[in-house]
Amino acid sequence: MWGSRFAEPMDPAARRMSASIGFDFRLAEQEIRASVGWAWALQHAGVLTQEESEQIRAGLALIGRDLAQPKKLWTEADEDIHTTVERLLTESLGPLAGKLHTGRSRNDQVATDLRLWLMDNLPALDEAVVGLQQALLDRSQSDLEILMPGYTHTQAAQPILLGHWWLSHFWPLQRDRVRLRAVRQSAAQMPLGSSALAGVPYPVDRELLAKELGFDGPNLNSLDGIADRDFVAEFLFAAALIGSHLSRLAEAVILFSSREFGFFEQADAYATGSSVMPQKKNPDVFELARGKSGPLVGALTGLLTTLKGLPSAYDRDLQEDKLPLFRAYDLLAELLPVLAGAVRALTVHPERMRAAVEPELMATDVADYLVAKGVPFRQAHDVLGRAVHLAQSQNTPLSELSLDELRGLHPAFEPDVAQIFDPRHSVARRTAIGGTAPEAVVAQIAAARRALAELPPRPEAVAAQLAEAQRALGERLSEP
Amino acid sequence: MWGSRFAEPMDPAARRMSASIGFDFRLAEQEIRASVGWAWALQHAGVLTQEESEQIRAGLALIGRDLAQPKKLWTEADEDIHTTVERLLTESLGPLAGKLHTGRSRNDQVATDLRLWLMDNLPALDEAVVGLQQALLDRSQSDLEILMPGYTHTQAAQPILLGHWWLSHFWPLQRDRVRLRAVRQSAAQMPLGSSALAGVPYPVDRELLAKELGFDGPNLNSLDGIADRDFVAEFLFAAALIGSHLSRLAEAVILFSSREFGFFEQADAYATGSSVMPQKKNPDVFELARGKSGPLVGALTGLLTTLKGLPSAYDRDLQEDKLPLFRAYDLLAELLPVLAGAVRALTVHPERMRAAVEPELMATDVADYLVAKGVPFRQAHDVLGRAVHLAQSQNTPLSELSLDELRGLHPAFEPDVAQIFDPRHSVARRTAIGGTAPEAVVAQIAAARRALAELPPRPEAVAAQLAEAQRALGERLSEP
Amino acid sequence: MWGSRFAEPMDPAARRMSASIGFDFRLAEQEIRASVGWAWALQHAGVLTQEESEQIRAGLALIGRDLAQPKKLWTEADEDIHTTVERLLTESLGPLAGKLHTGRSRNDQVATDLRLWLMDNLPALDEAVVGLQQALLDRSQSDLEILMPGYTHTQAAQPILLGHWWLSHFWPLQRDRVRLRAVRQSAAQMPLGSSALAGVPYPVDRELLAKELGFDGPNLNSLDGIADRDFVAEFLFAAALIGSHLSRLAEAVILFSSREFGFFEQADAYATGSSVMPQKKNPDVFELARGKSGPLVGALTGLLTTLKGLPSAYDRDLQEDKLPLFRAYDLLAELLPVLAGAVRALTVHPERMRAAVEPELMATDVADYLVAKGVPFRQAHDVLGRAVHLAQSQNTPLSELSLDELRGLHPAFEPDVAQIFDPRHSVARRTAIGGTAPEAVVAQIAAARRALAELPPRPEAVAAQLAEAQRALGERLSEP
Amino acid sequence: MWGSRFAEPMDPAARRMSASIGFDFRLAEQEIRASVGWAWALQHAGVLTQEESEQIRAGLALIGRDLAQPKKLWTEADEDIHTTVERLLTESLGPLAGKLHTGRSRNDQVATDLRLWLMDNLPALDEAVVGLQQALLDRSQSDLEILMPGYTHTQAAQPILLGHWWLSHFWPLQRDRVRLRAVRQSAAQMPLGSSALAGVPYPVDRELLAKELGFDGPNLNSLDGIADRDFVAEFLFAAALIGSHLSRLAEAVILFSSREFGFFEQADAYATGSSVMPQKKNPDVFELARGKSGPLVGALTGLLTTLKGLPSAYDRDLQEDKLPLFRAYDLLAELLPVLAGAVRALTVHPERMRAAVEPELMATDVADYLVAKGVPFRQAHDVLGRAVHLAQSQNTPLSELSLDELRGLHPAFEPDVAQIFDPRHSVARRTAIGGTAPEAVVAQIAAARRALAELPPRPEAVAAQLAEAQRALGERLSEP
């Protein structure tokens, strides 16, 4: 492709290391779509005649037909997907194919392709996140009123509803989706027309081309256009944070699935056994979810290290952007549906959960009971601390202290304190927004459903844009 | 604070390690503001009488007066900023102070304070970014028409304008600002009212309280409210990406300031010399800017590692969120203005830049010249490759090849090819959006100014909100 | 220090950012020791007269006397510790002080100081690791025969001894100590005499000087001497891996301290309570230990990012090596003794542990029972799997299946199978090296004690070397 | 494999995600070797009869014959390499195959296999490092006396020899090799016999088995044996530091290959051109080397994140150890030979290097000249600083200042100062160990050759051990 200035062919090992076709073949569809757009833009800029443009687009259309099996399109001798498509087009059209490369460069092509790929594939990932959200939401609905201990510091703290707990893992994913949407916007700036670095020297209408390809607009500086990988870093960060959220959900489920907690039981379809211990049922799916937060963080850190200190608009180091992007994407695209299935398939043991709500968990409620009788909270807290100490020293539940014993600690206690030890009472008090009272959780479920509706996986605008780009591509392929 | 259940005081070394007051004293202002809000909310919920609420708010106001020197407020004996403020309030009001803690917890307090701190301090950081953008923009204007080589692979590639180059470092910062704005939105969900984990058991109007404190609204799940540190991770990512952009600018400036490039000369005020080599002038400011991308990436990676796999809504591990946040913030707040000054103070050597624009850099233009005469670009590229090879073998500039020699390579060459070697001509052709032609760069400068205007450092809405929160705080302190 | 070539003073903000004295004052002792060595080396190289050398060493000795409070030595006007010491020496000796800087440079000085600092301080960190190892070893001895479930996948798997479990956290720390010893060797190459970059132009005997300063020898390439920060990266990696091991120990202790497991109870002296929930006792020390693995990983990642792609032997970016080093060191030096105390103070509940060893945990032993009767293990595993299924469907412990039921699954079962369900029997079988049988654990404890003896915290050789260096310094200060 | 306790097959998507055969097939050889060892150990422990053991070993030998194409051995239905080998053995031997699994578990198998794999493959990686070292050493020899500027802060500082510069990249790699050797020692502890977690319940001689398999010995705690991944982390750290060193070499070569420096010219066989700019020759190989430091750091960070906070001896998260290990290994195994070739193929331009050694670079030598006349270095440095300033203000080289002008700055200047500006003189003075004087560099080359000889790529001991293990395997396969 750059041959005539070079007297010697590339060293075979160097060539193998340098070639990217082994992974950038995944950009084939985007390469063809962007090329069709470019042929059309060159025609409108007067660089190609209508006939030339038509022929080129027809040639690209032919290549496009084999896209379902992109691995069949390329050979080891190709350097990258750009070389592949150019070779195939030349085999089909001869020297005319060489006109397509006017005014563009692999520098702006690869950045364009990668952005298009991400824009094309983000909706499916978003849907996978929604799939897990739906599973959490459905569990929340069906497990709504099951009482369980809420934990801080892995210590039982206060009673909550299981429905409330499930939802606490819904909202982080909703924030993740807001980030994915922002990634889409960062990706949707078109570099095509930046050429090698200085901009295209033909009167190409970049605004129109951007719109036709489904971008929000062209980038505004050609050097930045070929250098900018912010959108990859942003995606990897969003992916790492999704991984972080999944690791926290997974950790909790693993804990709750231990025999000692006994709250959850893994479904056979999502657990594995042991090659040695016949009695084992292991929560492998959740362990893998937790462990995979590692490679996701690693992909982000790796890209940031690669980007550090790059001096010129395009340096070959940037080739290292694709593998972490593809790997992080594939990892999540595979993991999320499995997790959704595993969440749905979990068996809950409400009686174990209820049994774990020991009377001590209502200590704060008892303190509040004193507050209601005019005791400052700090003093009430102190009284209850001593009550807990007393109960433990007697090896008795807190709720079994006699009224006399309680009065010995503070005179404000009265017989009605007994009902405070009912966890339903504790939960029912927390009706403020975000609280664990049944009606608050019902309201929260409704809010969650609204949030999903307001941020649909494939929003109208994007869907329309993609359809338009698809349609435009079709027309470009056929129109004069 | 939790004493009566414990029979033994904390081990001194454990206590020292556990205490966070050494760094969370920076949250003092936010702690007081949030406490004033809470006192007011408890009053409206009927938990405090008007008089109690007034007294508490007055007490907080007194503490607030000493905020200018927060380090004087606390002692080593305090565990954290919440303990400090509670102690001071108790010293001032006695047992009444204990009523303020009703229905809240350090879990929701610290999350609220940290979010408020970030919301308070993001505008100043954003302004610092804008300060560097302004320096780049001003340089772009004043250096607009200086010719220089544009580089890819650290190899001179095509002529560009220095004004265009400066702007290529403007736009990444603009994207950073969009991210900072998104961080603000992530931070602006109020956890206060999540209480320890299960929600507040009093009829607190969280929506109103959120608005009064300057939040966009309350978070919707109490467990998530105390667990969520996405906003810290997002900030650290935005900071790491700013660091990445600064490292790339710095690397290029360091290169261009080498004697071998000779494009830039460091100002004495921003360079350092050598303790051994009297002739040295070193670009230390830019080297530090490049090097500091390390701690910024480290802060992000560190937090993501800390967050991984945390099982319960609040785990003490979360204490490790503050230092990376403060450090990344301080680092950038110190670095950005220095960089802006250093950029403004650089001396440019236009003649060295012009001299580096060797005729070979117009090789693509000559290929385009052939394209205009009907030669497919690929073939034209090949012709020029051979021309470069020929010129190099004769040790002569590409522009000194005779017309006969050129015609020997392709018959389409004519005498008018000579003018193609004028870099002004090359630059002038690239008028499309984002190109390096003078008029395109002028348009780009205008677009940059518009972008700054559209995303002002302290947007009206935020400014109004902050003012409102400030005012509301004042009123809360004084109102009945 | 580099003044006369510069027409303008440094911008104040740039100067503040550039100055490192705020943290490199910690190198004061090393700076003085290395300077004494250098004065002596210059004398032996004939650059300083004996009298000059003596005066300089005496001047350094005077400064050294105030080292106990290094923060008092320096002022904000100093740039770094080298400037500080030079200024103090000049105040004391006048122009003669200027002779000390012959043939050296801050580039080799700072690398020398930092290596000495690490060599000086590694033994104390190693001792802190040993302190935790001793705590684990003592617990192992005293808890030796307590039966508990061993876990994989957070699922009870097979019975083990608690003594065995404690030791599983001993060995990783022993590997950490081997790594710390390797760090010491990496650090013990002396850069002094590399000068600015090209080597010292005087006949300094670097081998002798290296020995006198306690190094293993001089580095062998002056450019590498000032560039090499491998020893910092190695230390940060060793620290990150210590952090990883502590996080795993911490996670397990936190789990076992939950009410649901109930194996451990935190000592009051190492736990904290809740400001809201009077009954809470939280394992904060272990949570902080787990959380602090984050900043340790971050310090490593940050340095690796800083080092990436540095082009020249010394770049100012390298200034970013000190803070992560100091922070990681301080973090571990503070954390390890607290953890050791917390481990010693834990209360164990053997009866809870024993109760958790349910009959199912002996399923492998029963399979082995069949193996002993000639059944291939895979088939035996299958039989037991069905037995577990049967017992669960009857909601009965595995050990309560009747002999008939067992024989229904495989005819090889005989009455003696009953004893197989005794966990003591299961444990007793595992006598091979590294197994959990009591005698194997006793042997393991002996091996652990040997390992500590073979890798003592301050090995003779190092101790002797340090003493020698200390003595040599004393002599250098006094000798002619 | 664990079927009978499970009523339902695994969900297909979960199974796909869970399966590791897609990458752990690379452990096939190690799995077979360790299995042969185990069969032999079970025989000596009296668990297998001699005949059974022989049959099993013969069956394994048969499988081993197809190892050259491991991908053909397994099917998508296999879960991992252990399942594959067990399936193949069962197909060959029937139920007898099931006896091999007595007393072992996939937990200790996979850890054993992975350690063996690393021990088997480290020598080849070490050889690849040596290959690059040899290239640097050869260049050092042939380019020994070429004068060039040494740089700090990317600013020309003092003259050095190119031979010295090449060697400055040799020594970091030697340190890397020391680290790889340490990795080998960390890997060489045998987990086999740890069984699932509690140790093997048969009298297996683990010390003998360890020796036979080429390990240094058995690990000493069964829980730690299956949990320990320190050796993977250590390898990834060593790999990341190699990557760091390569990135620094690459950055310098890229800089020196720029037209502006003009010191190096890329060989055609290791450079690429541009698809747009016919004149470009880009140092892609070095850019890729620099960029790949990213994924190497990412692999390390990722594993450390995965390991953080794992609670039990074996958690499924540990499956995430293999891909980063294989990827980092493959990356370096591919990159190092290419870099060695590219270093050898570089063309040096000595005249460009010499021309860049401007008189100012001898400023320190002139200061030393004054020192030799009794001027304290600091004062001499100051005089030269003013001389540089004077020369620059006259736009003249420092060496062209007249003697009168110099004397105006300090009276000690005499006519012999002229020779000080000869860079050969400057270089010749630095004869101390590690200096850039020709004889010092010659000595350094000798030291480098000694270092290579003392740490050979395949040290006798290891080679002997591997051969012994190989031989033992052969015997195990055939012996009674």
Side-chain angles (χ1 to χ4, degrees), chain B residues 7 268-269 284 290 316-317, chain C residues 7 11 268-269 284 290 316-317:
Chain B
D268 286 5
D284 287 47
R290 185 179 55 188
R316 188 63 184 278
D317 318 52
Chain C
D11 170 79
D268 286 4
D284 287 48
R290 185 178 57 186
R316 188 62 184 278
D317 317 53

Side-chain angles (χ1 to χ4, degrees), chain A residues 399-415:
Chain A
S399 54
E400 301 298 310
L401 288 180
S402 70
L403 190 56
D404 281 352
E405 285 170 322
L406 288 175
R407 280 190 171 146
L409 296 168
H410 198 284
F413 282 110
E414 296 183 49

Side-chain angles (χ1 to χ4, degrees), chain C residues 38 40-41 108 112 189-195 199-200 202-213 215-222 225, chain D residues 431-435:
Chain C
W38 191 243
W40 173 85
D108 57 349
T112 302
Q189 303 299 313
M190 183 189 72
L192 198 59
S194 299
S195 196
V200 55
Y202 300 101
V204 166
D205 186 335
R206 294 185 69 218
E207 291 210 315
L208 195 55
L209 178 58
K211 209 180 149 193
E212 297 258 342
L213 287 174
F215 285 99
D216 290 350
N219 73 293
L220 301 181
N221 180 293
S222 59
Chain D
T431 55
I433 293 175

Side-chain angles (χ1 to χ4, degrees), chain B residues 21-272:
Chain B
I21 185 67
F23 47 88
D24 69 14
F25 71 84
R26 290 179 71 165
L27 304 176
E29 185 188 336
Q30 289 75 27
E31 171 75 8
I32 291 173
R33 199 192 316 154
S35 294
V36 168
W38 191 244
W40 173 86
L42 286 180
Q43 173 187 346
H44 283 252
V47 179
L48 295 182
T49 67
Q50 178 177 324
E51 197 191 327
E52 288 170 334
S53 176
E54 275 175 40
Q55 279 184 282
I56 286 173
R57 282 181 273 139
L60 290 166
L62 270 171
I63 301 170
R65 279 188 204 149
D66 296 328
L67 269 182
Q69 293 174 295
K71 284 202 186 180
K72 293 207 173 158
L73 293 174
W74 55 278
T75 72
E76 290 290 341
D78 293 331
E79 189 182 341
D80 52 32
I81 187 62
H82 321 297
T83 327
T84 302
V85 170
E86 186 164 346
R87 177 180 52 75
L88 292 169
L89 197 65
T90 306
E91 286 167 14
S92 156
L93 302 183
L96 172 59
K99 295 204 172 181
L100 176 59
H101 211 53
T102 314
R104 70 175 185 173
S105 134
R106 290 187 294 179
N107 295 356
D108 58 347
Q109 281 174 268
V110 71
T112 301
D113 293 355
L114 195 59
R115 287 167 179 267
L116 283 174
W117 187 91
L118 195 54
M119 289 157 71
D120 288 351
N121 286 282
L122 275 175
L125 187 62
D126 188 49
E127 274 183 5
V129 177
V130 170
L132 178 53
Q133 285 182 299
Q134 289 285 6
L136 293 165
L137 206 45
D138 291 350
R139 291 239 56 144
S140 170
Q141 188 84 57
S142 57
D143 300 340
L144 179 61
E145 302 233 15
I146 297 174
L147 275 172
M148 68 179 284
Y151 291 82
T152 57
H153 306 262
T154 318
Q155 296 286 321
Q158 293 180 345
I160 59 170
L161 295 185
L162 178 51
H164 190 56
W165 186 85
W166 285 119
L167 288 169
S168 75
H169 294 284
F170 171 93
W171 295 107
L173 296 171
Q174 189 66 10
R175 291 192 295 274
D176 290 327
R177 296 183 59 226
V178 172
R179 275 181 286 271
L180 290 179
R181 196 175 52 174
V183 171
R184 201 255 169 218
Q185 284 187 310
S186 293
Q189 302 300 315
M190 184 188 73
L192 199 58
S194 300
S195 196
L197 73 152
V200 55
Y202 301 102
V204 166
D205 187 335
R206 293 185 70 219
E207 292 211 313
L208 195 54
L209 178 59
K211 207 177 151 195
E212 298 259 340
L213 288 173
F215 285 99
D216 290 350
N219 73 294
L220 301 182
N221 180 293
S222 59
L223 298 165
D224 181 43
I226 58 171
D228 174 18
R229 293 298 184 276
D230 285 10
F231 67 103
V232 183
E234 267 192 63
F235 172 74
L236 293 177
F237 171 68
L241 214 43
I242 295 175
S244 176
H245 296 144
L246 299 183
S247 80
R248 297 178 80 164
L249 168 63
E251 171 84 2
V253 170
I254 291 165
L255 225 63
F256 290 175
S257 301
S258 68
R259 192 170 294 238
E260 289 73 12
F261 276 82
F263 296 171
F264 289 154
E265 188 176 327
Q266 299 289 323
D268 286 5
Y270 289 95
T272 64

Side-chain angles (χ1 to χ4, degrees), chain A residues 1-2 5-11 13-14 16-18 101 104-106 196-197 268-281 284-285 287-288 290-295 297-298 301-302 305-306 310-311 315-317 319-320 327 334-335 338, chain D residues 1-2 5-11 13-14 16-18 101 104-106 196-197 268-281 284-285 287-288 290-295 297-298 301-302 305-306 310-311 315-317 319-320 327 334-335 338:
Chain A
M1 175 171 275
W2 63 77
R5 177 223 191 292
F6 286 72
E8 208 183 333
M10 203 164 184
D11 170 80
R16 267 194 306 279
M17 187 183 84
S18 174
H101 211 54
R104 70 174 185 172
S105 134
R106 290 187 294 180
L197 73 155
D268 285 4
Y270 289 94
T272 64
S274 159
S275 64
V276 165
M277 296 166 285
Q279 87 281 9
K280 287 293 284 301
K281 188 154 74 168
D284 287 48
V285 159
E287 291 175 282
L288 287 167
R290 184 177 59 185
K292 283 175 189 296
S293 62
V297 169
T301 309
T305 305
T306 293
L310 291 191
D315 302 285
R316 188 65 184 278
D317 317 51
Q319 179 162 318
E320 300 296 325
R327 283 173 181 162
E334 182 175 46
L335 174 58
V338 174
Chain D
M1 176 172 274
W2 63 78
R5 179 220 191 293
F6 286 72
E8 207 184 334
M10 204 165 185
D11 171 78
R16 267 194 307 279
M17 189 183 83
S18 174
H101 210 54
R104 70 174 185 173
S105 133
R106 290 186 295 178
L197 74 153
D268 285 4
Y270 289 95
T272 63
S274 159
S275 63
V276 164
M277 297 166 287
Q279 87 282 7
K280 286 295 286 300
K281 188 152 75 167
D284 287 47
V285 160
E287 292 175 281
L288 287 168
R290 184 178 57 187
K292 283 173 190 298
S293 62
V297 169
T301 309
T305 305
T306 294
L310 291 191
D315 301 285
R316 189 63 185 277
D317 317 53
Q319 179 161 320
E320 299 298 322
R327 283 174 181 161
E334 181 174 48
L335 175 58
V338 174

Side-chain angles (χ1 to χ4, degrees), chain D residues 432-454:
Chain D
I433 293 175
T436 197
E439 63 261 45
V441 178
V442 166
Q444 195 187 147
I445 291 175
R449 295 210 190 283
R450 271 199 309 279
L452 283 186
E454 284 163 12

Side-chain angles (χ1 to χ4, degrees), chain B residues 2 5 7 11 101 104-105 268-269 273 275-276 279 284 287 290-292 294 298 302 306 315-317 320 327, chain C residues 2 5 7 10-11 101 104-105 268-269 273 275-276 279 284 287 290-292 294 298 302 306 316-317 320 327:
Chain B
W2 62 78
R5 177 220 192 295
D11 169 78
H101 211 53
R104 70 175 185 173
S105 134
D268 286 5
S275 64
V276 165
Q279 88 282 9
D284 287 47
E287 290 175 283
R290 185 179 55 188
K292 283 175 191 294
T306 293
D315 301 285
R316 188 63 184 278
D317 318 52
E320 300 297 323
R327 283 173 182 162
Chain C
W2 63 77
R5 178 223 194 292
M10 202 163 186
D11 170 79
H101 210 54
R104 71 174 184 173
S105 134
D268 286 4
S275 64
V276 165
Q279 88 281 10
D284 287 48
E287 291 175 283
R290 185 178 57 186
K292 282 174 191 296
T306 293
R316 188 62 184 278
D317 317 53
E320 300 298 324
R327 283 173 182 163

